[in-house]
Every structure is written in structure tokens, then in C-alpha cells.
Amino acid sequence: MPLDPQPEAEVAHRNMAFVLRLAFLTATISGKVYSDLSFVGNVSAAPAISACRNPLKVASIYAATRTYCKPQDFDASVQYYAGKCAGFGGVTMIPESEVADNLTAAALQSMRVVSKGEVPSYSKLSAPVLVSRSWFDVAFKTIDAFQFEKRIRPIYGWPKVSIQLWRYIADRMATMCLSNLPILWLFSGRNNIFIWATGWHFSTFNLFHRHIARVSMLQAAIHGISNTVFIFKTGTKLFYKLRWKELWFRYGVVAVVALGLMMLFSNHWFRHRFYDSFLLIHISLAIVAIVGIFYHTSIYMGRFDPYLWPIVALWSFERGVRLVRIVYCNLHVRFGKGGSLQRTRATVAYNEEADIISVKVLPATTLIKPAPGQHYFLYQPFRLKGWESHPFTLAYWEKSSASVHDDISLCFWIRPRDGWTRSLKKRCLRSGEPSISTTILLEGPYGKQEPLWVYDEVLLIAGGSGISAIVSYLLDHARRATAMTEDAGGRAQERLRTRRITLVWANRSANYMQQVAANELTEVLAREDVNVQFHYTTVSDSGSDSPIGCDNPPKATDETEKEDDPRERKGLEGDTEKQTVPNNQHINDPEITMKPGRPDLHFIMNQAAARAHDGGIRLAIMACGPAKMVDETREISYRCMREHGGAVQYFEEAFGW
Ligand SMILES: Cc1cc2nc3c(=O)[nH]c(=O)nc-3n(C[C@H](O)[C@H](O)[C@H](O)COP(=O)(O)OP(=O)(O)OC[C@H]3O[C@@H](n4cnc5c(N)ncnc54)[C@H](O)[C@@H]3O)c2cc1C
């Protein structure tokens, strides 16, 4: 922070380390201010003698020192002033005891207060007076600034260009760092007005957040280092030690260290391995950093508060909105006959074979409007770590069988990992029941629906549990198509342009894919405009269970159509080798082709893009799945876009940030 005169003086007020300097200032000020005033009974024409021997003037100086000085600074001030009397006037200063009658609390209370210019110089005062606070302050700041500049610029200029540079760099880095903080905090929250304004994903803002954090950290570090070098170059080691005794200085160091630790604990490995510990540490250190910065800048009399209070406001707003969303989703008062306080209920089931937990949540409120692309944060409040919340994409929704009203259940598919999801899985396994009821709170909805319905052709690519984000789009397509048929020629026409949807899903378990196809996707898979390609990647999983959708008319999928395509065979076989899935495990289902190994995304996407380009239609590609797969689809899409121009648009639902 810039070491301005004014805060320097304030620090001096508060710190005994500067008591001598303060004493000098106070005494000088008292002397300087009172030298403008004349009192009756002058003992000498020499001002230095008069200032030390005129009882009225000396009483006035004592009064000002008592009033405007901290008690602990009083003795040092008087001592310093007495030294000046001896040095300049060759006299002793009248001791305080001799004018004590004028310095009682009552006397000080009733003493006349004079402002600058109020008493003409020819006028002689007949009683001690107290200079006004504003007059004292003007003198104090002037002398303090003068002393500071004298110390820092011995020749009224920077002693060396290098010193000047250190100082300028330190100051500018601090200001730039502070100005970054509000957006750094803003972009860290899931309730961020920029998300609402732009429609961009939270993950995009999270990326900005991380980059801004890196830059801010660098600026804070440079500020600290430059200032340290500057202090050593202009002051002494002792001066640096004195600085350490000052709270504002120490808090600056605390803030920089906290920011540094935040960076350290935000590294990719730690964040992904111990997400909840990362979050706890991150938030705690953020609080330490912001408190530290508040203290560090407190000496500037609020000059930097416009950067800091917005952070508090944004943070409170973000947390407040979360709370509102939680209450909104999970508590609902039903009035009228049989009215009651509704709360959210949830049933959880674990499918061991598929290694998927399905959570069905019946929200307390009926006001939630589910839509594809939404995700919700789930809390399990009655746990030791009940504050944890985890985001999950809405897979589908349905009318609840558990409710007499037309309530909607929200359904999530969760792949168990190592934290909360694992404990949920264990609870299901321990219960021995097909499903358990537990208290789960919802916070949401977040995310937004991508307008896939405006594209002529849609290619959906899902990896593993990424299918949960895709299913809702498939169901939405079916809903829109049905609405369009029922309302032929009406407004619904405008809402669905898509003539063909292809789903490519790669999953470890073929059985799980069959289950999903036979349940949630039955209606969708029966549609002529929906094609699917399922790929399983686990050798033990033959996927040879009973075929799905037997009653549905058989249809040719993209996969079967290009069965003989050498490029595709090569791709799949290559992967098959990697997965060690023998070729004879290829499932010959009448409607849905399931193949071992990973899909050749490159081929599938390029083919779809070329078809769109040649046919003069627009293609939307949406991917959701493991980071590696999504990275691959993004890269291929980019190439397709370059090759086929505006025909291709890419969308992504990421399961992480
Ligand atoms: C927008 C979004 C939607 C998602 N939808 C689904 C879904 O539909 N189905 C599904 O199975 N998974 C989904 N995920 C991933 C899911 O949130 C994590 O797998 C889950 O939080 C892991 O919890 P855990 O405590 O068991 O994780 P851990 O074993 O502690 O961590 C596993 C991984 O999950 C990440 N993670 C943990 N907690 C969080 C959190 N609170 N926020 C973000 N990431 C976290 C970690 O960084 C780590 O990479 C989604 C993630 C996001 C960001």
C-alpha cells in the first residue's frame, strides 16, 4: 500500500514505536499553532522564550497536548518541547503543575476553542485557549507530510530511480490487485449476475475466477516483495522491525500468505482428490485474506473500502440467494383443506451392476419448472458434514406416485465416487432394501437448456453417467414432437425443427444401458427420428440380457448402416483391443446395436458434420461425460466447424469445474 502521510500519522498515533516522532510532531504543532496567537503578559520579545515562559501560552499548549494527544504520548511530547525551550530559548518550560488550575477537566471543558483566523494577530488573549480540532489537524498533517517527504526524499526527489521504481511497482500492484478482488469473488459464486446476464456456464466463470486469482496472487506477491525491498533501501533493518510491530503491516503479510495458501491448495490434484477439504480450506483462507486486507488498508481511512465492501456484499448476496433457493425448494406451506407444511422427500436406490445411484426427489414446492440442462445441488443435512452440497444434472422428471397432488419428482443418476456419493451408496447397501428414504435437500435449479430444438439434426454423445444430461434432451425432443403432432400447423411447429437425433452412448455396463433403454428411454427409442449407438467397455459385461424394446419395430441405426465401413471397424477394433473385449461379444439386438469398445467419435462426428454441410442443414453436437471424452469431442467439433463452417454448433454439459 502507498505510505501516504495521513495514514502514516494515524499509525504513529497508535504505535509506541513512533512515539518520539509523534512527540516531535505534536510539540511542533502546538508550538507552531500557538505561535500565531498572542497572550497578555509576554515575558520576552523572543518568541522561543515567550512560548516557554508565558503562563497563558504554555497552559494553552498543555491543554492542546492533553486534548489531542494519546495519554501515553504526553510525557514524550512535553519532554521534547522542553528540550526545544532549552535549545532555542535557553529557558526551562513552565512545568504543568504550575498551570494545573487551567488544565482541570472542568477548565478544559469550558476553555475557549479558537479556529484558524478567528483571533487577529494584534489581539492579545487574556486566558488560555484551545485550538480547534480542525486547526490542529491541518497543522499536524502538514508537518507530518513534510517530515515524511523529508525522510523519504532526502533531496526532494527520489534518491535513486531504482528506489522510485520499487515504490511505484509496489503501489500499483496493490491497487491493481485490490481492483481485481470484487470480480474474483463475483465469479466464484454460482449465483452470479453475469451468469444470468450472459447465459454462460458457471464452469466458464470458474475458469475466469481461477485465472484472475492467479493474476491477483502474483500482484499481491510483487506488492509485498517490492515494498520490502523499498523499505530496506530507504530505511534500516530497525525500521523494518518497527514495521512488524504494526498491526496493519502484519495483516498485509497475513493476507498475502492466505492468498498464497489458497493457490497452493487449489492445485488440480488436491482439488479433485479432496474436493470438500479444498472447499473448506479455500473459504476459510478467503475469510482470513479479506479480513487481513481490511486491516491492512485500514490506515488509509477507507480509501480502499470501495474495493472491499463490494466483496462482502457479493458474498453475502450469493450465500443469501442459496439460502432462498433452499427454502424455496424444500419448504412449502399448503393452505386450504388438509393444508400443511411440506418438505422435500427423497428415495435413493443403488444399482450395483451398473454402479449407479438413482435419487428421486419430490420437492416440497410445486413451483419448480424442470427442464433439460438443469442441475441441482443436493444436500444431506443430517450428516456430520451436512453442509456439503454436490451438483447433479436432472436426468428426467415424472409425476410422483407418492403424491396425491400433481407433484413432479426430479430424478438424478449418480455415479458413486469417493466422498458423499460413496457414503450414500454404502447406506443403500447396508439397508438391504431396494431403496431407502432419506432427507435430501435441493438447491436450484441452475444451468440452462440449450436450444437443440432449433437444429435440423442433433448428435448427442454421452460417456458413462453423462447420459443423465442427455436423457432429458431426448425426452424433451419426444415431448416437443408429440406437442407438434397434436398441434399440427399451430405454434408448436416453431418449437421443433429437429428431424433426426443420434445418440452415441459409451458405458462400462451394457446391462445398465439396456435397463435405461427399457425404462426411461422406451418411448424415445420407439421414435423413427431417433437413432442410437450403444458401446460397452467392460469385458465381464456381455450385455446379452434379454433384448430391449422387443415390441418396437426394428430400425436401422447409424451403427448398423455403416457396419462395413472399414474406418469404423478399425476404430472400434482398436479400442476393443485396448478394452480386451472379444469381438464375438458383439450384441446382436434387433433394435439397438451394442458394440464392445469405445465409439470412433472422430468418424461419427465428421460424418454427421459432412452430411449437415452437404445437405445445407444445421447440426448440433452435444457431449456430456468424462473430462477426457468431452475434451476429445470439443476438439473434433472445432475441426468440424473449421471444415464445415456454420453448419455445426457444439454444446457441452461438463460434470466438473
Ligand atoms: C454441473 C455438474 C453436474 C453434474 N452432474 C452429475 C450427474 O448427473 N451424475 C453424476 O454422477 N455426477 C455428476 N456430476 C459430478 C458430481 O457432482 C460429483 O461426482 C460428485 O459431487 C462427487 O461427490 P463425492 O463427494 O462423492 O466426490 P469425491 O470423491 O470427493 O470427488 C470426486 C470428483 O467430484 C468432484 N466434486 C466433488 N464434490 C464436488 C462439488 N461439490 N462440486 C463439483 N465437483 C465436485 C471432485 O473434484 C472430484 O473430481 C456433476 C458435476 C457438475 C459440476
Side-chain angles (χ1 to χ4, degrees):
M1 294 299 123
L3 302 171
D4 280 355
Q6 180 186 330
E8 186 85 2
E10 287 300 318
V11 171
H13 258 308
R14 278 185 249 122
N15 202 301
M16 281 302 287
F18 285 85
V19 75
L20 278 176
R21 185 164 152 265
L22 183 75
F24 163 74
L25 287 172
T26 314
T28 314
I29 291 150
S30 307
K32 280 268 185 293
V33 169
Y34 283 100
S35 68
D36 282 0
L37 300 171
S38 301
F39 291 84
V40 292
N42 251 359
V43 289
S44 165
I49 297 175
S50 179
C52 300
R53 297 304 306 166
N54 182 321
L56 296 179
K57 188 171 244 183
V58 171
S60 301
I61 290 170
Y62 278 126
T65 314
R66 278 265 176 240
T67 308
Y68 300 126
C69 234
K70 292 244 159 127
Q72 63 265 34
D73 299 336
F74 182 81
D75 288 344
S77 276
V78 171
Q79 214 178 335
Y80 184 87
Y81 197 81
K84 292 280 167 197
C85 291
F88 289 109
V91 291
T92 54
M93 185 185 185
I94 297 174
E96 193 191 12
S97 54
E98 282 186 27
V99 289
D101 288 350
N102 291 311
L103 301 173
T104 60
L108 287 175
Q109 189 77 30
S110 57
M111 194 173 279
R112 181 184 168 194
V113 178
V114 293
S115 302
K116 188 162 170 50
E118 185 183 325
V119 181
S121 54
Y122 54 82
S123 167
K124 294 225 178 291
L125 294 161
S126 56
V129 292
L130 188 62
V131 290
S132 68
R133 173 91 230 188
S134 59
W135 191 0
F136 186 88
D137 282 347
V138 166
F140 191 101
K141 286 173 186 169
T142 308
I143 293 168
D144 184 47
F146 172 73
Q147 290 301 324
F148 175 72
E149 295 304 319
K150 214 168 86 172
R151 179 176 66 77
I152 212 153
R153 302 184 183 98
I155 49 167
Y156 291 98
W158 292 97
K160 281 186 190 165
V161 173
S162 64
I163 291 179
Q164 183 184 9
L165 278 178
W166 282 118
R167 182 52 195 265
Y168 280 13
I169 290 169
D171 288 358
R172 271 154 198 60
M173 284 297 146
T175 311
M176 284 164 75
C177 176
L178 284 179
S179 57
N180 273 337
L181 296 184
I183 47 168
L184 178 65
W185 252 263
L186 178 66
F187 290 175
S188 70
R190 48 196 188 231
N191 292 294
N192 157 4
I193 47 167
F194 282 88
I195 294 182
W196 302 334
T198 60
W200 296 351
H201 286 268
F202 169 72
S203 52
T204 306
F205 284 96
N206 194 263
L207 195 72
F208 295 159
H209 167 76
R210 292 206 294 270
H211 284 305
I212 297 168
R214 283 175 198 129
V215 172
S216 307
M217 177 59 227
L218 197 68
Q219 289 165 337
I222 296 175
H223 164 70
I225 293 166
S226 313
N227 243 338
T228 307
V229 176
F230 171 76
I231 291 171
F232 271 107
K233 278 187 176 269
T234 53
T236 59
K237 213 172 172 183
L238 179 74
F239 185 63
Y240 192 68
K241 273 190 180 166
L242 289 176
R243 272 284 139 92
W244 270 100
K245 291 190 177 168
E246 295 163 32
L247 203 63
W248 73 275
F249 188 82
R250 288 205 302 270
Y251 268 106
V253 177
V254 167
V256 174
V257 171
L259 289 174
L261 288 174
M262 283 171 87
M263 289 283 296
L264 193 72
F265 284 111
S266 301
N267 75 74
H268 187 269
W269 178 83
F270 187 78
R271 191 154 37 94
H272 284 270
R273 192 79 191 76
F274 308 101
Y275 188 84
D276 292 303
S277 309
F278 148 76
L279 210 59
L280 210 64
I281 293 172
H282 205 68
I283 293 171
S284 311
L285 287 172
I287 293 171
V288 172
I290 195 74
V291 170
I293 297 170
F294 259 113
Y295 270 102
H296 185 58
T297 55
S298 61
I299 55 168
Y300 297 99
M301 307 288 156
R303 186 169 0 137
F304 293 99
D305 285 0
Y307 292 114
L308 301 178
W309 283 112
I311 296 174
V312 179
L314 287 168
W315 213 356
S316 312
F317 172 76
E318 207 280 316
R319 295 281 154 174
V321 175
R322 283 190 197 191
L323 203 68
V324 170
R325 284 186 191 262
I326 293 173
V327 173
Y328 172 79
C329 290
N330 304 292
L331 280 180
H332 187 69
V333 183
R334 281 220 167 101
F335 296 102
K337 206 175 163 201
S340 58
L341 183 70
Q342 302 288 313
R343 62 183 182 82
T344 298
R345 283 168 289 157
T347 50
V348 183
Y350 174 59
N351 182 330
E352 203 165 354
E353 189 183 22
D355 193 27
I356 286 281
I357 304 168
S358 41
V359 178
K360 266 190 193 171
V361 185
L362 179 62
T365 179
T366 48
L367 301 174
I368 290 180
K369 297 265 171 292
Q374 286 182 348
H375 64 270
Y376 292 77
F377 284 79
L378 303 191
Y379 295 74
Q380 208 182 354
F382 301 121
R383 285 178 74 231
L384 200 61
K385 294 200 267 177
W387 67 82
E388 273 182 31
S389 64
H390 294 270
F392 295 100
T393 305
L394 180 62
Y396 65 101
W397 57 96
E398 60 186 14
K399 275 213 177 106
S400 170
S401 52
S403 168
V404 285
H405 305 273
D406 272 354
D407 292 341
I408 301 279
S409 281
L410 307 181
C411 307
F412 302 91
W413 287 332
I414 300 176
R415 162 93 359 109
R417 306 293 295 265
D418 295 330
W420 175 68
T421 52
R422 186 162 72 168
S423 78
L424 199 61
K425 166 182 141 180
K426 278 189 179 165
R427 234 189 110 180
C428 290
L429 288 174
R430 267 202 312 268
S431 78
E433 302 290 329
S435 68
I436 57 165
S437 295
T438 184
T439 305
I440 283 186
L441 300 183
L442 281 177
E443 182 204 320
Y446 292 96
K448 67 162 181 125
Q449 178 169 13
E450 301 296 358
L452 299 190
W453 65 89
V454 301
Y455 292 85
D456 304 286
E457 187 171 334
V458 175
L459 174 60
L460 301 169
I461 299 169
S465 58
I467 189 66
S468 55
I470 299 295
V471 163
S472 55
Y473 280 100
L474 280 168
L475 295 174
D476 185 62
H477 172 77
R479 255 192 307 272
R480 283 173 188 273
T482 311
M484 194 173 80
T485 331
E486 285 168 3
D487 183 23
R491 277 183 60 242
Q493 286 269 21
E494 297 154 25
R495 289 188 230 127
L496 186 67
R497 210 181 147 152
T498 311
R499 296 287 165 265
R500 175 192 176 103
I501 287 196
T502 304
L503 165 65
V504 180
W505 181 16
N507 191 53
R508 271 187 292 174
S509 158
N511 287 346
Y512 177 57
M513 290 195 276
Q514 287 183 331
Q515 284 172 26
V516 170
N519 293 288
E520 289 80 12
L521 292 184
T522 320
E523 189 198 334
V524 175
L525 297 184
R527 296 187 57 83
E528 286 295 326
D529 55 354
V530 176
N531 304 292
V532 293
Q533 303 176 28
F534 286 173
H535 296 258
Y536 63 94
T537 56
T538 305
V539 65
S540 59
D541 193 347
S542 70
S544 56
D545 288 8
S546 58
I548 52 155
C550 298
D551 297 331
N552 300 333
K555 60 189 169 191
T557 63
D558 271 7
E559 199 65 41
T560 46
E561 276 165 15
K562 53 187 169 54
E563 191 77 337
D564 290 323
D565 191 304
R567 274 185 67 189
E568 203 216 343
R569 201 165 46 231
K570 187 167 168 266
L572 287 173
E573 279 171 8
D575 276 345
T576 307
E577 267 169 35
K578 256 189 260 159
Q579 299 293 325
T580 61
V581 179
N583 237 359
N584 60 8
Q585 288 202 355
H586 186 125
I587 299 162
N588 291 317
D589 185 274
E591 291 99 34
I592 296 168
T593 305
M594 292 218 188
K595 287 188 173 181
R598 294 189 183 124
D600 183 354
L601 293 177
H602 203 272
F603 174 77
I604 295 168
M605 290 168 72
N606 266 312
Q607 194 195 43
R611 197 171 48 235
H613 181 253
D614 296 346
I617 57 169
R618 294 178 72 210
L619 167 74
I621 300 176
M622 171 172 273
C624 183
K628 218 172 150 197
M629 188 210 84
V630 173
D631 285 346
E632 194 186 338
T633 52
R634 195 185 312 118
E635 199 196 325
I636 302 170
S637 294
Y638 165 72
R639 289 183 201 290
C640 291
M641 283 175 191
R642 289 200 66 172
E643 204 171 320
H644 304 295
V648 182
Q649 184 72 42
Y650 178 69
F651 300 96
E652 191 176 291
E653 293 288 334
F655 273 9
W657 33 65

